[in-house]
Amino acid sequence: MEIDYEQLPDNKILCVDMRSFFASVEAVERGWDPLEVCLAVVGDKSRPGSVVLAASPALKEKYNIKTGSRLYEIPEKKEIKIVEARMGLYLQRSLQITLLFREFVPLDAIHVYSIDESWIKLAGTERLYGEDKLKVAGMIKERIEKEFSLPCSMGIGPNMFLAKVAMDIEGKKKGLVEWTYADVKEKLWPVPVEKCWGIGRRMSRWFKKIGVNTVGDIARLPLKFLEDRFGIMGNQLYYHAWGVDLSKLEGHYNDPRKAIGRGITLFKDYNDVEEIKTVIFDLAEEVGKRARDSNLVGKTVILGIGYSKREKQAGFHLQRTGEAYTNLTGDIYRLALELFMENYRGQAVRKVSLALGNLTTATDLQLNLFIDQSKEIKLARIKDRLENKYGYKALFFGKSLRPGSVRERIKTTIGGHGS
């Protein structure tokens, strides 16, 4: 099959990745060169099994310590520096970088993919900066390095997929590159399946079992074969392999809030059902409080359970919609518990996430919807006021004292790490 690329849009999408973001920010804050220092950022220096959240480029190259390595794997060398994560600082710096993007394009042309990665639509900036999008990207890169002293990698493509892969495969080596549709066969097709964005570890293993080793091999497979095996994802895999991505870049800044959630990666594998249930309860209380503080209620509870790496399955991510809107801990927990008990089969659990969706403002609902829960609502409000005034230890549910509780981590960290 051949694609008529002339009929496809060319939006000149720029993908920006802040290199080893947490480690680079820490290096700059401490007066070290982020590209030269051997630096690891960990969640907790007192725990040998603590995960490395970021490793500087020099640490990766010299000692093969990467994101996801463990603290005990880091050699005891004088030149290696180890610091604890400060998530509040990284969030602040990420926001400042996004505001810098705003000086070049409108907010709806910026898609923040993660704390350290964004897509920017450059098409439409011709009147201000001319036709040369590499020049515009170079200006943004120069500003980032000048104002924050932080290194970044960039890739430009006609769509979000090609921009991202160009950045991952070539931009991280050269700093700034551009791929066009004409580069698909020469540059995209030789990419190993395990290194292509959007293809996970399990999927890449499956491909290799059937002799599919590169993106080009995927492009040569029949579309129907991929759709029969992976459904709609198979359709996406096929067209991505040909460099085709029709998804629109949309900024999130004006989007209505769709869900309130919180997740946590556990320090160890959890096998005890009661301990896992306690974690779900702690998350339900946190999600409920956030909803109450925002004067929001929801009908849909979304539960995600991620299994340990030693399990064959990845886990499950399911949702259930209740009969009425709520922001009460008990209601959220009951729906989440139903999902858990119906789908859990004794596997070791390492990640748990919980969210409340299908949101609306609490004041939009008639009070009689809550009349049967007036006491619970009053108690929740009193508890929230005490916590907001005196701290999270002022009043809490006894269930959070049970073995396996993660309440302390939830209340004292951002994203599971220090602020």
Side-chain angles (χ1 to χ4, degrees), residues 8 13 42-43 97 117 169 175 248 267 272 292 306 360 368 388:
L8 298 176
I13 304 296
V42 301
I97 292 169
E117 196 166 343
I169 302 303
K248 294 183 179 180
F267 282 146
D272 186 281
R292 295 190 295 271
T360 188
N368 61 2
N388 292 338

Side-chain angles (χ1 to χ4, degrees), residues 94 96 130 163 215 288 380 414:
S94 178
Q96 290 170 336
V215 175
I414 299 174

Side-chain angles (χ1 to χ4, degrees), residues 9 14-15 32 37 56 77 132 152 168 190-191 210 226 264 277-278 284 294 304 306 314 342 359 374 378 408 417:
L14 170 65
C15 184
W32 303 323
V37 68
S56 66
K77 301 283 186 178
D132 190 346
C152 64
D168 280 342
V191 174
I210 64 169
L226 288 169
I264 192 163
K277 287 162 65 175
T278 298
S294 301
E342 289 172 10
L359 299 174
S374 58
K378 186 175 181 180
E408 183 78 15
H417 308 290

